[in-house]
Amino acid sequence: IDYDLGDNLTLTSITSYNDLNYDNGTEGGGTQLLELDLLNDQADATSFSQEIRLANNPSNKLRWLVGANYETSDVTQGTSLNYKDSTAAVVNGFVASYYTSVQHMENLAGFANLEYDWTDKVTLSGGVRQTNAKRDGVGSNGGKPDVLPPPGYISITDFFNATWDYLGQNV
């Protein structure tokens, strides 16, 4: 939206909101075998963005623009993998894994631009932007009831967790 403020000034507002709900299962190898199949890949993502700009008349010999931008996004995802027919299952007994990710992202920026028509064919221009970005996220690997391995097999996540504990790196 552009608002004419008079005195050759324009205030511009750009707003967006996105909401994604994703649910997918994919047969990954193209065969009847379960060598890398996404049993369940679910995600929820929301994003909001707002930008405000103030500018003088674009037909002026000296043009300027100042503005600010704010954006925030939240993403949650969980994925179940099954590979009971892969060589990892045959050799090592790995048949499944599950991982999750929860993320929050936030950006705040300020910016300015200046242009000057020095001649009919030469325009000098310069601009600055400062962005402060904050990212928080948590990811985990673990078992999930719909991908529990059959008796005698373990998930790759359980294997690495047990190995890590065995090496004295329990966290």
Side-chain angles (χ1 to χ4, degrees), residues 6-152:
D7 294 328
N8 290 319
L9 295 176
T10 301
L11 182 67
T12 301
S13 173
I14 302 171
T15 306
S16 72
Y17 176 78
N18 295 294
D19 187 3
L20 169 70
N21 296 304
Y22 180 82
D23 191 357
N24 182 42
T26 304
E27 198 295 304
T31 70
Q32 193 172 5
L33 300 174
L34 297 174
E35 71 274 19
L36 182 55
D37 292 0
L38 288 169
L39 297 179
N40 193 6
D41 186 11
Q42 293 182 325
D44 293 313
T46 58
S47 179
F48 170 78
S49 176
Q50 176 64 55
E51 181 168 301
I52 300 288
R53 299 187 302 235
L54 181 64
N56 70 338
N57 190 323
S59 64
N60 287 353
K61 188 172 183 168
L62 175 68
R63 295 171 300 283
W64 56 264
L65 175 139
V66 294
N69 179 278
Y70 174 77
E71 183 269 332
T72 182
S73 296
D74 291 294
V75 179
T76 302
Q77 182 178 14
T79 302
S80 302
L81 295 166
N82 187 338
Y83 33 88
K84 75 178 187 75
D85 296 328
S86 71
T87 56
V90 174
V91 175
N92 300 312
F94 303 144
V95 296
S97 62
Y98 178 74
Y99 61 88
T100 61
S101 174
V102 177
Q103 301 173 59
H104 175 75
M105 296 148 281
E106 198 168 87
N107 296 306
L108 181 60
F111 53 89
N113 193 63
L114 186 65
E115 293 182 352
Y116 177 71
D117 295 330
W118 192 19
T119 69
D120 291 351
K121 297 182 181 187
V122 176
T123 299
L124 302 175
S125 66
V128 295
R129 181 180 180 98
Q130 175 67 42
T131 301
N132 181 1
K134 180 180 175 185
R135 306 285 187 265
D136 293 315
V138 175
S140 67
N141 289 316
K144 187 176 178 190
D146 64 346
V147 288
L148 289 177

